[in-house]
């Protein structure tokens, strides 16, 4: 593994990026991944970097030298100080309490498995929670450090992932069923959202397809839909090809949940504007469910937009410091939705909805600054007769037309004009948002608070991509890829149960993951250990609340066992 400076010749000049080369543990082929974008050499020179190519070549050489030193130190430490991780003890206790072991092991019946499937799944989950790495590194560097856990080979681990991925929907169903039996899920409200994960490959295949990327990348992606209950516990997950629309995924996951878990009664579906479509509205009503969606004020008809942004009717909400946090107003509407059924026939549906408009002054200021920035950028590019491709994100505020440059009509000239009407419209609507709900008897504040709990699902996706290192994905086998995302999903479920049921939502996800990463001990003898984990709030809370010796420096094996065998 080594860093290198990539110099790409483009129309605007030499474009510099830092990449890292490595060898794929599965294919044994050399690969590289993007580390950092530096920009065009001319632009870097304008910032004061003399000879950018030479400067960053030296910087990359320094990075490689530091890597060598760190690697040698790491090997020395691993050789002489065999640390053991015990930060997984709460997720392990929750896993035992869920009692999924037998159901997971039933999946291997009739297959040539010579090891326990549930044990291997546990190890994969705990490794991802304690220190996420590639599967090869996980097996060789993390498995051996998990205190008291059964060890598995790399081939066994990949076989486990492959089987679990092939049956990932059943595994999700098993965990949802046992979570409901153990902790009682609240599906009176459900939260749903989608994201996607990129793959550093050039060619698409049947599953990894190019589509709208949440991270604005051009790599092939797959999509993931995630369903949470009212307490923001994960209860459903669906993977789908990256070029497919995410809108029908919501319906499929909810139907699966109700059918497989025997859920009856009304569920209020909460999702953002990207999932707000006539088909989803119709599906919710047909299932006798409710819904809360958001909608951009910019997309409203003129008469409804005028009502939304006019000053009359707003109620102010003041924060703890006595400042305006936001203001809101609402109104009942009879709204007509047009949709097509499975056979393509067009239908209409009229429903009574409450529409709640909110105005956030801090968001308005932020949006207006962004509008001004794009407006100035567009003006400068227009004045310099820039190409259409140079406008980037400011192009939405331009009107581009073409005209012939000469009488013979062989050449065309692009005319760019600033769309001042659109800019003014965006300024007027900055800071406004609309919530649309079938629950017109619900008060405005409850609707607002219910919708804004969606941040938990965004946090789940964020932790998958950061704390759990879910992407980029280097596996090639489809079922193993599905198994990888299943492990990430189950890791989020156990972390969320830890956070919600054990810690009573007193600590955020980042603190929970840091606690699990850093809780380690060093063996100093056959029965004695030293606690090398740093002091933290969660450590103190668990020590006091559950009478655990997590704050001790010297630990005996009986105390370690007490920690690992604790029931929650």
């Amino acid at each position: 593994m080594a860093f290198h400076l990539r110099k790409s010749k483009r129309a605007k000049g030499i474009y510099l990026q830092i990449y890292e080369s490595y060898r794929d543990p599965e294919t044994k082929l050399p690969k590289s991944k993007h580390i950092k974008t530096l920009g065009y050499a001319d632009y870097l020179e304008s910032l004061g970097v003399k000879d950018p190519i030479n400067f960053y070549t030296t910087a990359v050489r320094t990075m490689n030298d530091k890597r060598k030193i760190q690697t040698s130190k790491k090997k020395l430490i691993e050789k002489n100080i065999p640390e053991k991780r015990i930060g997984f003890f709460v997720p392990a206790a929750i896993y035992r309490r869920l009692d999924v072991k037998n159901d997971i092991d039933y999946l291997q019946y009739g297959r040539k498995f010579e090891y326990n499937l549930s044990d291997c799944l546990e190890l994969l989950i705990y490794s991802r929670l304690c220190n996420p790495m590639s599967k090869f590194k996980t097996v060789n560097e993390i498995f051996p450090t998990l205190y008291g856990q059964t060890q598995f080979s790399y081939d066994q681990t990949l076989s486990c992932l492959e089987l679990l991925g092939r049956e990932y929907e059943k595994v999700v169903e098993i965990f949802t069923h046992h979570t409901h039996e153990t902790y009682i899920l609240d599906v009176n409200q459900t939260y749903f959202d989608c994201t996607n994960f990129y793959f550093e490959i050039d060619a698409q295949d049947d599953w990894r397809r190019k589509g709208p990327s949440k991270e604005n990348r051009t790599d092939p992606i797959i999509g993931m839909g995630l369903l949470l209950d009212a307490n923001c516990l994960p209860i459903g997950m669906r993977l789908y090809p990256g070029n497919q629309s995410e809108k029908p995924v919501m319906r499929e996951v909810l139907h699966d949940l109700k059918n497989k878990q025997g859920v009856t009664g009304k569920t209020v579906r909460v999702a953002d504007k990207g999932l707000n479509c006539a088909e989803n509205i119709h599906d919710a009503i047909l299932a006798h469910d409710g819904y809360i969606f958001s909608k951009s004020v910019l997309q409203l008809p003129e008469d409804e937009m005028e009502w939304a942004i006019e000053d009359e009717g707003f109620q102010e909400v003041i924060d703890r410091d006595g400042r305006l946090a936001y203001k809101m107003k609402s109104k009942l509407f009879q709204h007509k939705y047009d949709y097509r059924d499975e056979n393509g026939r067009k239908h209409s549906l009229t429903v009574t909805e409450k529409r709640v408009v909110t105005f956030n002054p801090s968001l308005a200021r932020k949006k207006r600054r962004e509008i001004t920035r794009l407006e100035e950028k567009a003006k400068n590019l227009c004045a310099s007769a820039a190409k259409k491709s140079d406008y980037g994100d400011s192009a939405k505020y331009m009107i581009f037309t073409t005209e012939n440059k000469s009488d013979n009509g062989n050449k065309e000239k692009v005319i760019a004009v600033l769309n001042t009407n659109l800019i003014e419209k965006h300024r007027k609507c900055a800071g406004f948002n609309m919530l649309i709900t079938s629950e017109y008897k619900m008060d405005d504040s409850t609707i607002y608070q219910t919708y804004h709990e969606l941040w938990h699902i965004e946090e789940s996706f964020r932790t998958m991509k950061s704390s759990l290192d879910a992407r980029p994905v280097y596996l090639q086998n489809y079922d193993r890829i599905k198994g990888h995302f299943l492990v990430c999903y189950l890791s989020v479920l156990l972390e969320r149960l830890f956070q919600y049921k054990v810690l009573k939502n007193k600590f955020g996800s980042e603190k929970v993951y840091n606690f699990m990463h850093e809780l380690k001990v060093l063996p100093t003898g056959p029965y004695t250990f030293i606690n090398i984990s740093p002091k933290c709030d969660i450590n103190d809370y668990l020590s006091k609340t559950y009478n655990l010796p997590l704050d001790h420096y010297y630990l005996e094996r009986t105390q370690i066992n007490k920690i690992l065998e604790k029931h929650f």
Side-chain angles (χ1 to χ4, degrees):
M1 294 176 64
F3 299 107
H4 63 273
L5 183 66
R6 179 174 291 186
K7 302 177 282 291
S8 307
K9 290 185 178 180
R10 299 187 180 181
K12 291 184 179 181
I14 299 176
Y15 195 69
L16 303 180
Q17 296 168 289
I18 296 177
Y19 272 69
E20 182 182 19
S21 59
Y22 67 97
R23 187 171 295 278
D24 190 302
E26 286 191 297
T27 64
K28 308 301 181 184
L29 296 175
K31 288 191 175 183
S32 63
K33 62 179 179 180
H34 175 264
I35 298 298
K36 186 177 182 180
T37 295
L38 301 171
Y40 287 100
D42 291 344
Y43 175 71
L44 293 169
E45 281 191 30
S46 70
L47 296 178
V49 180
K50 295 182 179 180
D51 192 357
I53 295 176
N54 183 55
F55 177 86
Y56 285 108
T57 299
T58 304
V60 167
R61 190 181 301 120
T62 303
M63 290 169 65
N64 283 320
D65 291 339
K66 287 183 178 179
R67 167 69 65 82
K68 290 178 182 178
I69 295 171
Q70 290 170 354
T71 302
S72 62
K73 284 183 177 179
K74 182 178 178 182
K75 289 180 178 178
L76 182 63
I77 290 171
E78 289 176 349
K79 182 178 180 181
N80 297 324
I81 311 178
E83 66 182 23
K84 292 294 182 182
R85 300 175 182 272
I86 59 173
F88 62 90
F89 77 93
V90 177
I94 294 170
Y95 193 99
R96 291 194 301 270
R97 186 174 176 186
L98 290 176
D99 195 25
V100 296
K101 183 175 176 59
N102 288 339
D103 285 338
I104 296 297
D105 287 340
Y106 289 149
L107 292 175
Q108 70 187 75
Y109 274 24
R111 297 175 172 89
K112 296 179 180 179
F113 264 78
E114 298 178 354
Y115 58 94
N116 187 275
L117 186 65
S118 178
D119 288 349
C120 191
L121 174 59
E122 281 190 74
L123 207 58
L124 284 165
I125 294 172
Y126 305 155
S127 297
R128 192 134 297 264
L129 288 170
C130 287
N131 193 10
M133 287 186 170
S134 69
K135 297 299 174 290
F136 184 80
K137 284 191 173 182
T138 293
V139 171
N140 291 286
E141 298 181 22
I142 307 303
F143 279 7
T145 68
L146 297 178
Y147 185 95
Q149 294 297 304
T150 306
Q151 299 300 299
F152 295 92
S153 69
Y154 182 60
D155 289 339
Q156 288 175 327
T157 303
L158 292 182
S159 297
C160 172
L161 272 181
E162 192 168 341
L163 173 55
L164 291 169
R166 195 176 303 127
E167 305 289 356
Y168 88 89
E169 291 174 328
K170 290 182 180 178
V171 178
V172 171
E173 181 184 348
I174 289 169
F175 273 85
T176 302
H177 173 79
H178 284 270
T179 303
H180 184 49
E181 282 196 335
T182 307
Y183 295 106
I184 310 300
L185 297 170
D186 183 355
V187 292
N188 291 322
Q189 291 170 191
T190 57
Y191 297 92
F192 186 84
D193 203 356
C194 293
T195 192
N196 45 53
F197 297 85
Y198 67 85
F199 290 75
E200 291 189 329
I201 56 175
D202 296 324
Q204 304 179 79
D205 52 36
D206 293 337
W207 201 46
R208 294 171 290 184
R209 308 287 295 179
K210 291 188 177 182
S213 172
K214 304 288 185 181
E215 296 162 284
N216 298 317
R217 296 180 67 98
T218 57
D219 306 280
I221 57 176
I222 64 164
M224 174 189 285
L226 193 61
L227 183 69
L228 307 184
D229 81 339
N231 296 311
C232 299
L233 297 173
I235 54 176
M237 185 260 284
R238 177 65 57 85
L239 299 169
Y240 56 96
N243 64 336
Q244 288 187 6
S245 170
E246 59 189 25
K247 292 178 180 178
V249 178
M250 180 181 187
R251 304 193 290 271
E252 294 169 7
V253 175
L254 281 163
H255 289 171
D256 276 356
L257 174 73
K258 290 200 167 189
N259 291 333
K260 293 177 179 178
Q261 303 298 335
V263 174
T264 58
K266 184 176 182 177
T267 293
V268 178
R269 308 175 180 185
V270 186
D272 69 6
K273 59 178 69 71
L275 295 158
N276 179 4
C277 65
E279 288 79 6
N280 283 346
I281 299 291
H282 172 254
D283 185 76
I285 292 171
L286 195 66
H288 304 290
D289 284 347
Y291 55 85
I292 300 176
F293 291 103
S294 66
K295 186 178 181 68
S296 171
V297 174
L298 291 165
Q299 297 176 350
L300 297 174
E302 285 297 326
D303 57 341
E304 198 169 337
M305 183 188 295
E306 287 180 12
W307 165 80
I309 65 177
E310 67 182 3
D311 290 337
E312 293 182 11
F314 277 103
Q315 299 292 321
E316 294 186 347
V317 178
I318 307 301
D319 64 17
R320 294 178 181 178
D321 299 323
R323 292 175 297 191
L324 176 64
Y326 60 91
K327 55 184 182 179
M328 65 169 62
K329 64 179 177 180
S330 65
K331 186 177 179 180
L332 295 185
F333 283 84
Q334 292 287 321
H335 193 80
K336 181 181 176 182
Y337 289 97
D338 296 322
Y339 67 95
R340 295 185 182 275
D341 62 21
E342 295 178 352
N343 299 315
R345 291 191 294 267
K346 189 175 180 180
H347 301 272
S348 294
L349 174 71
T350 301
V351 294
T352 301
E353 295 176 330
K354 178 186 275 191
R355 303 205 161 193
V356 180
V357 177
T358 61
F359 174 76
N360 186 314
S362 62
L363 178 62
R365 289 190 292 270
K366 179 181 177 182
K367 290 282 188 183
R368 286 167 186 159
R369 284 196 299 269
E370 178 65 10
I371 292 167
T372 300
R373 183 186 71 82
L374 293 176
E375 181 185 15
E376 292 301 319
K377 177 181 177 181
K379 284 180 179 178
N380 292 335
L381 289 168
C382 189
S384 62
K387 297 178 182 178
K388 183 178 178 180
S389 58
D390 294 335
Y391 282 82
D393 50 359
S394 68
K396 64 181 178 181
Y397 292 138
M398 300 300 299
I399 300 173
F400 297 99
T401 56
T402 57
E403 66 175 18
N404 293 331
K405 290 182 66 177
S406 59
D407 295 335
N408 59 22
N410 291 330
K411 296 182 180 180
E412 289 185 338
K413 179 182 178 182
V414 177
I415 307 297
V417 179
L418 200 66
N419 191 341
T420 55
N421 290 334
L422 183 61
I423 292 171
E424 186 59 28
K425 181 180 178 181
H426 279 213
R427 274 208 179 90
K428 286 182 178 179
C429 294
F432 288 93
N433 191 41
M434 176 175 281
L435 301 178
I436 300 174
T437 180
S438 59
E439 308 308 290
Y440 52 83
K441 294 183 180 179
M442 188 183 292
D443 66 83
D444 296 355
S445 295
T446 304
I447 293 168
Y448 179 84
Q449 295 300 333
T450 300
Y451 175 78
H452 280 269
E453 286 297 306
L454 265 176
W455 72 270
H456 282 290
I457 203 165
E458 295 171 359
E459 182 186 48
S460 297
F461 284 137
R462 189 166 56 251
T463 55
M464 269 195 202
K465 293 181 177 182
S466 56
S467 298
L468 295 177
D469 207 16
R471 55 85 175 103
V473 185
Y474 302 112
L475 297 165
Q476 300 299 317
N477 179 287
Y478 287 178
D479 291 327
R480 291 175 188 173
I481 292 171
K482 293 176 185 178
H484 166 76
F485 285 113
L486 173 66
V487 169
C488 292
Y489 167 82
L490 296 177
S491 299
V492 170
L493 171 62
L494 293 183
E495 183 276 331
R496 183 66 190 132
L497 286 169
F498 179 10
Q499 189 180 8
Y500 176 65
K501 292 297 183 180
V502 179
L503 299 175
K504 312 302 181 187
N505 272 340
K506 294 180 182 292
F507 305 95
S509 291
E510 186 176 353
K511 285 191 173 183
V512 175
Y513 282 110
N514 286 340
F515 168 77
M516 291 187 288
H517 291 178
E518 295 172 351
L519 189 58
K520 306 169 190 174
V521 296
L522 292 177
T524 56
Y527 306 104
T528 57
F529 300 83
I530 288 176
N531 183 355
I532 60 169
S533 55
K535 183 178 177 62
C536 68
D537 294 338
I538 294 179
N539 198 315
D540 293 341
Y541 177 85
L542 292 173
S543 298
K544 294 175 183 177
T545 307
Y546 297 100
N547 191 28
L548 293 171
L550 296 173
D551 54 351
H552 293 197
Y553 180 68
Y554 298 106
L555 291 168
E556 296 181 357
R557 179 175 291 181
T558 54
Q559 292 174 303
I560 298 287
N561 292 338
K562 178 183 178 181
I563 294 169
L564 294 173
E565 294 168 6
K566 178 68 179 177
H567 296 286
F568 293 95

